[in-house]
């Protein structure tokens, strides 16, 4: 006999994610969950996004990391409220962690919460956080075969950011093959080539996000 211990954990998480979603909607806050491997450029992309949107929206960031407050401090140094969640070893965020981070934020004074998930392309897919959109960042040096190896995360993405796009000439990255693999898993997600450190392509990605925020406002 085999007992699946993941079921009650996931069922509990679903309930807490629903609560987060209701809370965010009631406060008129859009939440985006950013998913990627360590080193793909999540924090850098988030900072570039904030620079482009901070005059339009009141933004806060929830930083998920196994340890340290390095990323939250980086975000806070730009004058943006940031809550650090240290998962104490867990390799993904769960809805109850995000709920506690929301307790620490002035939700009524915010329009957008950006959640930086723990660097991992596997288990964050299982844990709904109550977000409105999920965005996967893949960086060029990681290789074009990642959608084949981690199909679940690319299948659920609302958008894909292809970061470090400026390094394309020096890596053996087949962009056509990458786009085909993503399209096979997910016909709906747009792909945005971005160089977060240089700023190239950031505008297109940010306009997509702003479009999602505005669409959520008109339906609530
Ligand atoms: Mg980071
Ligand atoms: Zn995990």
């Amino acid at each position: 006999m085999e007992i699946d211990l993941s079921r009650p954990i996931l069922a509990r998480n679903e309930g807490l994610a629903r609560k987060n979603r209701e809370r965010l909607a009631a406060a008129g806050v859009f939440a985006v969950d950013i998913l990627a491997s360590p080193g793909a450029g999540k924090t850098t992309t988030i900072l570039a996004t904030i620079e482009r949107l901070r005059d339009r929206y009141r933004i806060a960031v929830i930083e998920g990391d196994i340890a340290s407050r390095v990323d939250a401090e980086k975000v806070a140094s730009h004058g943006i409220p940031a809550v650090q969640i240290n998962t104490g070893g867990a390799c993904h965020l769960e809805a109850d962690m995000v709920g506690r981070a929301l307790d620490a934020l002035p939700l009524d004074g915010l329009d957008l919460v950006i959640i930086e998930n723990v660097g991992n392309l596997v288990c964050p897919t299982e844990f709904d956080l109550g977000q409105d959109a999920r965005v996967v960042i893949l960086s060029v040096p990681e290789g074009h075969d990642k959608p084949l190896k981690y199909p679940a995360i690319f299948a659920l993405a609302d958008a894909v950011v292809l970061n470090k796009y400026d390094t394309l000439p020096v890596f053996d990255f087949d962009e056509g093959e990458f786009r085909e693999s993503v399209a096979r898993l997910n016909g709906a997600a747009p792909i945005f080539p971005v160089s977060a450190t240089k700023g190239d392509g950031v505008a297109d990605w940010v306009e997509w996000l702003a479009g999602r925020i505005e669409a959520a406002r008109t339906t609530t």
Side-chain angles (χ1 to χ4, degrees):
M1 191 175 113
E2 198 180 324
I3 301 169
D4 186 352
L5 289 174
S6 68
R7 289 220 174 276
I9 293 171
L10 289 175
R12 180 172 175 273
N13 189 75
E14 290 302 309
L16 293 169
R18 204 175 312 122
K19 236 180 242 174
N20 290 348
R21 191 165 279 121
E22 286 165 3
R23 229 173 131 185
L24 289 160
V29 179
F30 189 93
V32 58
D33 182 20
I34 307 287
L35 305 151
S37 298
K42 291 188 294 302
T43 309
T44 311
T45 303
I46 288 169
L47 289 173
T49 303
I50 287 169
E51 281 323 304
R52 293 223 166 224
L53 287 182
R54 65 185 304 162
D55 294 336
R56 268 152 91 181
Y57 301 115
R58 297 164 297 174
I59 306 171
V61 175
I62 297 173
E63 283 290 344
D65 279 294
I66 290 172
S68 94
R69 326 192 5 93
V70 176
D71 286 350
E73 279 163 12
K74 230 182 260 174
V75 171
S77 75
H78 288 73
I80 295 291
V83 180
Q84 181 77 54
I85 299 174
N86 281 147
T87 62
C91 49
H92 58 268
L93 290 178
E94 296 186 15
D96 75 317
M97 302 174 189
V98 170
R100 277 180 281 153
L102 294 178
D103 291 340
L105 288 170
L107 288 188
D108 287 327
L110 293 175
D111 305 304
L112 171 64
V113 170
I114 302 174
I115 303 166
E116 178 175 341
N117 215 311
V118 180
N120 181 345
L121 290 178
V122 185
C123 46
T125 57
E126 302 262 9
F127 292 88
D128 184 5
L129 304 178
Q131 74 288 329
D132 296 286
R134 280 167 147 174
V135 175
V136 174
I137 303 177
L138 183 85
S139 64
V140 165
E142 293 172 75
H144 58 258
D145 57 350
K146 287 299 174 288
L148 302 175
K149 293 184 175 175
Y150 305 100
I153 204 158
F154 286 92
L156 61 71
D158 294 292
V160 175
V161 169
L162 180 56
N163 194 28
K164 308 188 190 180
Y165 194 67
D166 53 312
T167 69
L168 202 62
V170 292
F171 285 96
D172 179 25
F173 187 98
D174 187 329
E175 188 179 352
E177 213 167 290
F178 172 71
R179 286 180 176 275
E180 259 171 52
S181 313
V182 173
R184 263 199 301 276
L185 293 163
N186 185 335
I191 298 172
F192 298 104
V194 161
S195 170
T197 51
K198 298 189 173 150
D200 303 331
V202 174
D204 288 343
W205 134 249
V206 162
E207 280 319 306
W208 174 87
L209 180 60
R212 288 291 303 255
I213 296 169
E214 295 305 319
R217 285 184 167 182
T218 52
T219 54
T220 48

